[in-house]
Each structure stands twice: as C-alpha cells, then as structure tokens.
Amino acid sequence: MRGAKEFRDAGSLEALKGLGQESALSIRGTVRADSRAPGGYEIDLLDAEVLNEVHDYPITPKEHARSF
C-alpha cells in the first residue's frame, strides 16, 4: 500500500488486512490519480478506523452442503 510509511499506527494498518467482506471503515487520506488503478485513482491512506468488523458474511465464498 503506497503511503503506508506515513500511516499513524502500524498496528491499525495490520488490523485492516484481516477485515472481512462488508466490514465498514472510516478513512482519511489523499486521493491521487493513478492510471494503473482500477477506476484511475488511489488513496494514500493516513488514518483509518474500523466502524464494524464482519467475518463470514453470508455470501462469502465457502463450502455449502447439498441442502443449501
């Protein structure tokens, strides 16, 4: 992640890596154009707060029984 060296709390950055699908975040950073990025923009992240952490969201790809 570009900008990670300026991130205020390295522990928080590590916590973001383990978030599941549909987790909610509040982030602060600088938006910049980047032609390599999907959609053409990237965010240089400065700060992030986890508002709601979700794991095993119901539509997350996983094994299902035949009865599903």
Side-chain angles (χ1 to χ4, degrees), residues 13-25 50-62:
L13 181 60
E14 286 301 312
L16 296 179
K17 293 180 181 179
L19 292 176
Q21 180 179 336
E22 298 294 326
S23 293
L25 303 172
V50 178
L51 302 175
N52 187 39
E53 189 171 341
V54 177
H55 293 283
D56 298 324
Y57 188 70
I59 63 171
T60 301
K62 57 187 162 209

Side-chain angles (χ1 to χ4, degrees), residues 6-14 46-47:
E6 293 93 19
F7 197 77
R8 293 174 188 254
D9 181 359
S12 295
L13 181 60
E14 286 301 312
L46 293 175
D47 197 17

Side-chain angles (χ1 to χ4, degrees), residues 24-62:
L25 303 172
S26 173
I27 64 169
R28 190 170 64 85
T30 304
V31 177
R32 63 179 169 78
D34 187 332
S35 61
R36 300 169 297 169
Y41 293 92
E42 289 276 327
I43 299 174
D44 288 332
L45 187 62
L46 293 175
D47 197 17
E49 177 186 3
V50 178
L51 302 175
N52 187 39
E53 189 171 341
V54 177
H55 293 283
D56 298 324
Y57 188 70
I59 63 171
T60 301
K62 57 187 162 209

